[in-house]
Amino acid sequence: MEDARLNILVVDDEPDICATLAEILEDEGYSVHTAGSAEAAEVLLRDQMADLVLLDIWMPGEDGVSLLRRWAEAGLEQPVVMMSGHATIETAVQATKLGAYDFIEKPLSLDKTLLTVSHALESSRLQRENRDLRAQAGWVERPSGDSPAIRQFREQLQRVAAVDSWALLLGEPGSGKEVAARYLHRQSRRAQGPFVDLRAAAIARPNVAVELFGSEEHGKLTRGRLEVAHGGTLFIDEIADMDLETQARLFSALQERRIIRVGGTTPVPVDVRVIAGSAQDLAHAVQSGQFRSDLYYRLSALPLKVPPLSARSVDIPVLIEEFVRFYGARDGLAARRFAPETLEVLRHYPWPGNIRELQNLVERLLILAEGPEISAEEVEGALGLDNRLVLANSNFDGEDFGGTLKRARERFERAFLEYHLARNEWNIARTAEVVGLERTHLYRKLKNLSIALKGERRAGEDGDEGEE
């Protein structure tokens, strides 16, 4: 990609000032547009985003303060720096109350103008980042943990971040696709640009096009997510929930690097990297005619599979620590320790809701649990794990409860390990990670329990054949 330059709009009725500012700011690496009146400025802002506006106060027709007031009433989208050689202190105060970032006097000082521009843009960037952070459902800044699965996934994200191609994150609901997308954005060359997300599943299908492309209807201009994400990254979660017409429009817009707002006619340039997320099998959706093949093939050039929590249960203690810190900082909830036997329960739970389910559980336990330590019983109760229900719904009969406790434990361990071996296709390394055992310890357990590995069952071969 070409580095996306920040856009500055200079509004002044004196052509010499516009030309001088444009030359100076372009030498500093900014992209500059100029307007000689409030009306011309409005037209320019309809066609493209501006990261900063330098606005003269005294102009023929509508003056700068009146224009600023209208912008403020409509919701100011960018910082505005006012300029004037005849303004009073009262005028400067009025402009500041209306939302102007700063006020500079004419004749303009080159150093002060560049410093003010730099500070205004940096302040706007920090405000945007703070809004993004507050909007995040979770607190984690990257896919956390030290399991082989998550380490390999982070390495894949870092490699994909080095290029500017579209990317596709595939994973179960709640597995952390948005966290992965944010991490990918921060590692990319677009890190200084905005990160914008769109949850397609949460928006009624007729409204998705307006959310993506914006609208120009009934005299009101609404900027869509693609336009807001200009120079940065747009994450579209559950992209398969978009209708075919919107999929076609999205593909065309990103191919041509421009959009047309709903109800509008003027093309608006956009420079956006798209990261899509899906829990569905998009290849199957293409075959069934529910997803466009051109969009799928463009996205699937860089497919990344987000590992489910069940495949990285050794990361659960790290995730718990992060959630405890997050809820302590955000809500003032007291930190509580998860006992070792509690962590064992959590490591062996299947986590159908993935990381989102774990996060919700931690929040609930921090609110409801009493004392400094959270017990295994509290976790089992919160997860709905009840031994009586397990027994009532199991296939155990009276004979299964005969013999000593040691024999009963062996029967359970054998059934437990055979279940996880089968689920992980008899891969020893993966099974060891899921059940929370060292590989050598798992081998020892299998030998003691007389559990034959897949290769041994077939031909009496060495058990290593069960590994990848």
Side-chain angles (χ1 to χ4, degrees), residues 18-36:
C18 286
T20 301
L21 282 173
E23 182 178 357
I24 292 169
L25 292 169
E26 285 174 349
D27 286 344
E28 294 295 314
Y30 300 110
S31 175
V32 183
H33 293 85
T34 61

Side-chain angles (χ1 to χ4, degrees), residues 248-270:
R249 191 169 179 173
L250 172 65
F251 180 78
S252 175
L254 293 171
Q255 288 284 88
E256 298 176 9
R257 298 168 70 89
R258 62 181 185 175
I259 63 170
I260 295 178
R261 303 185 190 105
V262 175
T265 56
T266 305
V268 179
V270 291

Side-chain angles (χ1 to χ4, degrees), residues 213-235:
F213 305 104
S215 68
E216 296 180 28
E217 297 179 308
H218 312 299
K220 182 180 178 182
L221 186 152
T222 302
R223 300 189 192 279
R225 307 292 176 93
L226 279 164
E227 199 171 346
V228 174
H230 179 75
T233 302
L234 174 66
F235 172 56

Side-chain angles (χ1 to χ4, degrees), residues 140 144-147 150 308-324 338-340 342-351 354-355 357-359 361-362 365 379 383 433-436:
V140 291
S144 303
D146 295 311
S147 65
I150 206 63
L309 186 55
S310 59
R312 43 182 291 230
S313 58
V314 293
D315 294 330
I316 287 175
V318 174
L319 294 168
I320 287 174
E321 287 181 13
E322 289 185 339
F323 295 141
V324 168
F338 284 66
T342 306
L343 294 176
E344 279 300 304
V345 172
L346 295 174
R347 273 196 288 262
H348 292 102
Y349 181 69
W351 298 110
N354 285 290
I355 296 175
E357 183 181 6
L358 175 62
Q359 180 176 355
L361 174 69
V362 171
L365 290 170
V379 165
L383 291 173
E433 183 181 340
V434 169
V435 302

